[in-house]
Amino acid sequence: MPRIGRTPLGLALLFAFGAAAQAAPAAPAWVARSDAYTQPVLKDTGKYQPEDSTALGDESVDTQVADFRPHVYERALDDTEKRLAILRRERAQENDVKVRQDLDILIDSREKVVATMKLEHQYLLDYTNVGELVYGGLRALLDPRNKPERQKLALVRLKRYAGKEAGYTPIATLVRARGEERLANKALIGPYVNEVEEGLNNNATYMDGIEAMFRKANVTGWESDFAALKAQVKDYDDWVRNRILPRTRKEVRLPEAIYVNRLANVGVDIAPEQMIERAAFDFQEVRDEMQVVANTIAARNHLPSSDYRDVIRELKKSSIAPDQLLPYYRQRLKDIEGMVRAHDLVTLPTREANIRTATPAEAAQTPAPFMNPPRMIGNTGEYGEFVIPLSNPNAKSKARMDDFDFAAMAWTLTAHEARPGHELQFASMVEQGMSVARARFAFNSTNVEGWGLYSEAMILPYMPPEGQLVSLQARLLRMARALLDPQINLGRMTPAQAKSFLMREVVLSEPFAQSEVDRYSYRMPGQATAYYYGYVKLRALKTQAEIALGDRFSLKAFNDFIIAQGILPPALMKQAVLEDFIPARLGRIAAQ
């Protein structure tokens, strides 16, 4: 899963992808026209959450900090509604098909922002974990992939966070003031208690992470401002304990309208009930497939039990030592790349992919493997990183997280996060050039994670049986997410019940199962369903292309086409395949 941050609507990008990589081709004329429409939207979005824009490469906001000044809700809503009206007028006057598609993307994104802002303002008590916010904002600048002169800009952002520059108030003070304003409304629903407690528990780790990043970057002159910020975060945490904790809710469930809105924001456009029914069916189907493969493995290895759960537990015993984990995953990537080339699955680059383990602060923020995307703006050769955490600092027990460090898991995890999954997906966007609308405002978890899970399925037929079983286990987890996430958020089961189910039926460790239910409950409600939904949409589209082209269908050509489109919503991806890919293939073959 790609990780940028936990803002309500995900990513914030500025400026064009077309000039991203040194080797990128010149952007076509329609991209330049689309980007001209997009620039004002990007300026609007960067005004309020510049940290996310920094993470994706926009250097124009590198020294800015999140806006928590008075009346921020009213100002942001007014900006967004005005921009939406302008976009609708521009859409009515535009004739280019691709540019109109991009305007549709922009309009849809603004409509979602307006709907989300109004719903959350109506129902929810604001809660921001300042420690996590400043950690993310400084991490975006101190990233080792940035040049030293950019890393040094963290000093300016740090000073502004701490209110040590003229005209700036400490961000902790501003966030607390906005919180006090909302606390006066007793009808608002408080944050989930586990979310607040987790933030309080993790903030010391985030502060340690900031200090470690400054030292690693060899940036000097940060100590005094950081000491002030650290003290402010501590004072803010004391305020959270005294003022926010008493208003937290003990039940996960929120108004259904909020949950449906969150599904829509990650690209899921079906009702929770429909998601539950569809995922429940597929869960049974995948579990049956797993049992078939488990029977083969058990018979060949003379295991005492052929139950897929027991076979997976046996496979987990082949754990990889921490000092051998990265070499092992790198070798597995080479194996997968050989399979991709041997079977003409998709075009791969010749350069090596980046794989590393997570820092303690990264593991606290994202206790599951993730893709750390490259900067998408001003990119001069930086690429994404496949990051593997070795523990979950938020686990409820001392049990070992044994879900990612055993041999059979390396197949599917590498296919998903590295190649042909997210690493290839993001690198392709940087290298080929992409309109900003498609790169930023079409971005959601359905579009991104659908390709990740699709990539696992692409490699599965060529894996050894042990790899196939664990790849199916990973797919089963995605079905479980689509089944459990909505049931938790509709109040039909508790997080504890979901955790027990994941440990029993999907064979997750306690730490990983805990990170899963935390994700469904408060980290990113609804987001986990997007893997399954995006996968279903993409596989269905592949079937439609196969039917239309018959023996003229080329899997490699189809996959290359999908990658070349960037991160498109399922409806626009379907339109591209039906109107561009299929006619082009038929025309090309006919011409031959």
Side-chain angles (χ1 to χ4, degrees):
M1 104 182 204
R3 183 197 54 73
I4 297 292
R6 283 161 62 180
T7 53
L9 293 178
L11 309 183
L13 261 179
L14 288 169
F15 304 130
F17 269 53
Q22 290 177 327
W30 74 267
V31 170
R33 185 169 179 81
S34 168
D35 287 353
Y37 284 124
T38 307
Q39 294 307 313
V41 186
L42 296 170
K43 184 177 180 180
D44 291 344
T45 59
K47 185 189 302 184
Y48 298 101
Q49 292 176 330
E51 291 88 352
D52 284 346
S53 298
T54 294
L56 290 161
D58 173 32
E59 297 184 6
S60 72
V61 295
D62 277 355
T63 59
Q64 300 305 308
V65 298
D67 187 349
F68 284 94
R69 293 170 296 155
H71 309 294
V72 61
Y73 168 76
E74 291 80 6
R75 290 185 285 110
L77 182 61
D78 184 59
D79 282 349
T80 308
E81 290 183 326
K82 286 178 178 176
R83 188 62 56 199
L84 180 56
I86 293 171
L87 289 168
R88 286 169 174 162
R89 290 197 296 270
E90 291 171 337
R91 171 65 171 79
Q93 299 168 1
E94 180 56 54
N95 295 318
D96 186 281
V97 173
K98 286 186 176 293
V99 178
R100 284 204 308 270
Q101 286 181 336
D102 280 9
L103 282 165
D104 287 338
I105 289 170
L106 294 174
I107 289 168
D108 178 69
S109 74
R110 299 303 87 197
E111 289 173 342
K112 284 185 168 70
V113 168
V114 169
T116 299
M117 290 184 69
K118 289 182 176 179
L119 272 172
E120 295 193 350
H121 191 73
Q122 176 185 353
Y123 287 107
L124 303 184
L125 177 66
D126 296 345
Y127 165 67
T128 299
N129 182 12
V130 172
E132 184 174 8
L133 170 64
V134 299
Y135 165 75
L138 294 170
R139 181 181 183 278
L141 289 170
L142 294 168
D143 190 315
R145 293 171 295 179
N146 290 334
K147 294 180 179 178
E149 54 267 30
R150 191 172 190 223
Q151 292 178 319
K152 289 179 181 178
L153 294 177
L155 293 172
V156 181
R157 180 170 277 175
L158 171 63
K159 188 175 291 290
R160 292 177 174 181
Y161 278 148
K164 295 301 182 180
E165 181 178 322
Y168 285 84
T169 301
I171 194 165
T173 300
L174 291 172
V175 175
R176 183 165 64 183
R178 302 291 78 76
E180 286 288 356
E181 291 170 355
R182 299 286 282 166
L183 279 165
N185 185 345
K186 302 301 182 183
L188 295 176
I189 303 169
Y192 182 51
V193 61
N194 287 16
E195 176 181 10
V196 177
E197 290 177 343
E198 179 186 292
L200 293 170
N201 292 336
N202 284 340
N203 281 340
T205 302
Y206 293 141
M207 294 301 103
D208 290 345
I210 291 172
E211 183 173 351
M213 289 188 296
F214 270 114
R215 295 190 186 283
K216 184 176 181 180
N218 293 317
V219 174
T220 59
W222 52 272
E223 290 85 354
S224 176
D225 291 334
F226 175 66
L229 176 64
K230 189 174 181 180
Q232 292 161 5
V233 170
K234 183 178 183 300
D235 289 343
Y236 177 79
D237 286 352
D238 290 339
W239 175 80
V240 168
R241 290 185 183 93
N242 293 327
R243 299 286 286 150
I244 298 295
L245 265 180
R247 285 286 298 273
T248 55
R249 68 184 193 278
K250 306 303 185 287
E251 183 185 7
V252 169
R253 185 179 185 181
L254 284 168
E256 187 169 344
I258 293 282
Y259 182 64
V260 171
N261 172 261
R262 289 179 176 177
L263 289 175
N265 285 337
V266 298
V268 175
D269 56 9
I270 60 174
E273 293 287 355
Q274 190 177 356
M275 175 70 76
I276 292 169
E277 182 178 17
R278 185 180 295 183
F281 171 81
D282 284 339
F283 185 91
Q284 295 286 342
E285 295 290 293
V286 173
R287 194 164 58 176
D288 289 348
E289 292 179 48
M290 292 175 66
Q291 190 55 60
V292 172
V293 180
N295 290 341
T296 299
I297 296 171
R300 188 181 64 186
N301 293 283
H302 308 290
L303 299 180
S305 170
S306 62
D307 185 279
Y308 76 88
R309 304 164 189 83
D310 294 328
V311 174
I312 289 173
R313 292 186 185 101
E314 286 293 326
L315 294 177
K316 283 188 173 187
K317 293 178 181 178
S318 62
S319 60
I320 306 163
D323 63 340
Q324 294 299 311
L325 190 66
L326 293 182
Y328 192 92
Y329 267 91
R330 290 181 180 126
Q331 180 56 51
R332 184 62 69 239
L333 176 60
K334 293 184 184 299
D335 296 336
I336 290 174
E337 289 175 329
M339 295 171 175
V340 169
R341 293 187 174 102
H343 298 283
D344 274 340
L345 301 180
V346 67
T347 300
L348 293 176
T350 55
R351 58 173 176 78
E352 293 188 0
N354 300 320
I355 308 176
R356 65 175 176 84
T357 55
T359 67
E362 286 175 326
Q365 188 177 47
T366 309
F370 60 88
M371 167 54 55
N372 187 26
R375 60 178 294 180
M376 309 303 273
I377 306 155
N379 191 296
T380 57
E382 301 92 342
Y383 291 97
E385 301 173 312
F386 167 23
V387 184
I388 308 171
L390 300 180
S391 65
N392 175 14
N394 308 308
K396 304 303 182 186
S397 76
K398 295 183 179 180
R400 190 172 71 87
M401 188 164 69
D402 60 0
D403 303 274
F404 314 118
D405 63 353
F406 65 103
M409 172 55 74
W411 289 102
T412 198
L413 190 54
T414 303
H416 182 102
E417 300 292 355
R419 295 175 185 167
H422 293 320
E423 193 274 347
L424 177 64
Q425 185 180 39
F426 282 96
S428 178
M429 288 194 296
V430 169
E431 292 168 345
Q432 296 186 51
M434 191 67 58
S435 74
V436 182
R438 294 175 187 235
R440 169 4 187 159
F441 293 105
F443 185 107
N444 62 45
S445 294
T446 292
N447 311 333
V448 176
E449 300 299 353
W451 176 261
L453 188 48
Y454 176 90
S455 295
E456 295 179 36
M458 195 191 309
I459 302 301
L460 185 144
Y462 312 107
M463 298 177 187
E466 292 80 3
Q468 290 178 338
L469 178 62
V470 175
S471 188
L472 289 170
Q473 178 202 16
R475 192 183 303 175
L476 189 73
L477 172 59
R478 278 44 170 264
M479 304 338 182
R481 287 171 171 173
L483 177 63
L484 302 177
D485 188 306
Q487 293 195 93
I488 287 176
N489 284 283
L490 294 176
R492 297 182 186 174
M493 68 187 310
T494 66
Q497 290 171 327
K499 179 179 176 180
S500 177
F501 181 86
L502 289 169
M503 293 176 68
R504 182 179 67 253
E505 298 298 330
V506 192
V507 205
L508 302 189
S509 69
E510 185 281 328
F512 189 32
Q514 184 64 49
S515 74
E516 283 293 308
V517 298
D518 290 349
R519 183 180 193 168
Y520 315 156
S521 303
Y522 59 87
R523 282 183 168 271
M524 294 179 284
Q527 187 271 344
T529 67
Y531 294 72
Y532 167 72
Y533 192 61
Y535 172 70
V536 167
K537 288 288 188 179
L538 195 50
R539 292 276 283 189
L541 185 57
K542 174 175 172 282
T543 301
Q544 288 180 273
E546 289 177 343
I547 292 171
L549 291 171
D551 58 7
R552 301 174 179 180
F553 177 80
S554 163
L555 179 59
K556 184 177 183 179
F558 176 81
N559 290 337
D560 284 350
F561 180 85
I562 295 295
I563 280 286
Q565 304 313 299
I567 302 171
L568 279 185
L572 288 183
M573 188 67 81
K574 181 177 181 180
Q575 180 182 349
V577 169
L578 297 182
E579 297 180 5
D580 295 336
F581 175 72
I582 291 173
R585 292 290 298 172
L586 290 172
R588 185 180 300 119
I589 293 170
Q592 293 174 351

